[in-house]
Amino acid sequence: MIKQNLGSAPSLRLYRKESTTKALTTEQQEIINLKKDKNAILLCHNYQIEPIQQVADYVGDSLGLARQAASTDADIIIFCGVHFMAETAKILNPSKTVLLPDLDAGCSLSDSCPADQLADYKAKNPDLFVVAYVNCSAAVKALSDVICTSGNAVQIVNQVPENREILFVPDQNLGQWVIGQTGRKMRLWPGSCYAHVLFTQESIERCRLEYPKAPVVAHPECVQTVRDLADKVCSTEKMVNFCKDHSSDTFIILTESGMMHRLTRELPDKTFIAGPTGNCACNDCRFMKMNTVKNLLECLRSSSPEITMDAHIIEKSRLPIEKMLEWSS
Ligand code: 13P
Ligand code: SF4
């Protein structure tokens, strides 16, 4: 059955470190110079394109980025990721300028939990303890008791007082995985990442048929039938450590394709196969890909667009983020 599908399936995309290192372009060099002139730090998520990762001061997952944002002494934070990540940096640094090259770089998970709907739900269920995945708006964070990322969700949920019933928002797939890891019952908000749910059991089984020895590493935002096929389920940062410590030289990676750049840069002797979806050889997040070298450079030159937020929301949303940093330190 699976073999029959092989003919029509998209061919797999393999990533290896290129043997020649490309010189920086004039635009990339200008970005580096401007950062220095303006005392700006470029924080970059693992899903960004390679030319942006190359000029970043820090490349990492949501937890690492939040920690960097909390500790920087730069005057300007320029964020190459999506809107909720830049907002988190602003919440932690209200007096600093936080820039995002394209303010429309959103997130389907964040969109799946509007703050007014969560407020209504809480009003009807006032005793719930709300754990919010960091992929949500500042207004949703302000309604939450503690924030988590995929890197610390298990650790955070394990610290919620036993006598409190948990509502986990907005990712039902991450929430379901956390239930399995902690044994803790939780109500799940019905949100999901439009990109990670494109991996299917069939597309991954097909890939494994070609590379039966390659361990499968999946992000917890994947659906359960896909997570069940994985040798390791973890955040993007933990993927780097898992592949580093594992004896295999080839891995099937089930997350956004930008991750392959980080992996090949850090582990130049290993090969990474981008997990295929039902009809594509890899998986891009259209929001993450809104940042380009061109709009990053323009953003640095003009110091805009800037993240601006209501002072009241900053104050209210900072508490659950600080609680997360404290609980996961
Ligand atoms: P990580 O925190 O694992 O990098 O995930 C962020 C994200 O948006 C995944 O889609
Ligand atoms: Fe949001 Fe999914 Fe994109 Fe991550 S990959 S930023 S969860 S839409």
Side-chain angles (χ1 to χ4, degrees), residues 177-191:
W177 177 71
V178 172
I179 290 173
Q181 298 295 301
T182 60
R184 187 83 193 243
K185 277 195 192 141
M186 301 195 290
R187 291 194 201 184
L188 302 178
W189 193 268

Side-chain angles (χ1 to χ4, degrees), residues 17-23:
K17 175 104 178 74
E18 286 179 28
S19 48
T20 50
T21 320
K22 282 192 208 121

Side-chain angles (χ1 to χ4, degrees), residues 115-172:
D116 56 343
Q117 286 182 22
L118 178 59
D120 283 353
Y121 194 87
K122 277 187 63 172
K124 287 180 194 126
N125 302 274
D127 295 331
L128 292 173
F129 188 100
V130 180
V131 179
Y133 184 32
V134 70
N135 297 37
C136 63
S137 67
V140 164
K141 289 184 176 79
L143 292 166
S144 304
D145 293 290
V146 68
I147 306 302
C148 72
T149 70
S150 58
N152 64 16
V154 169
Q155 199 183 356
I156 297 293
V157 166
N158 272 332
Q159 291 175 77
V160 176
E162 296 271 343
N163 61 347
R164 299 294 303 275
E165 188 185 358
I166 300 175
L167 168 65
F168 189 91
V169 304
D171 189 7
Q172 58 186 317

Side-chain angles (χ1 to χ4, degrees), residues 45-47 60-65 82 84-85 107 109 133-135 148-152 171 193 195-196 219-221 234-239 255-256 259 285 288:
H45 188 263
N46 286 322
Y47 295 165
D61 69 353
S62 307
L63 181 58
L65 290 164
V82 291
F84 75 81
M85 295 177 174
C107 168
L109 261 174
Y133 184 32
V134 70
N135 297 37
C148 72
T149 70
S150 58
N152 64 16
D171 189 7
C193 162
H196 282 86
H219 197 275
E221 288 171 16
C234 59
S235 74
T236 57
E237 196 62 34
K238 290 183 182 171
M239 288 182 181
T255 195
E256 211 269 352
M259 189 63 208
C285 166
M288 286 282 180

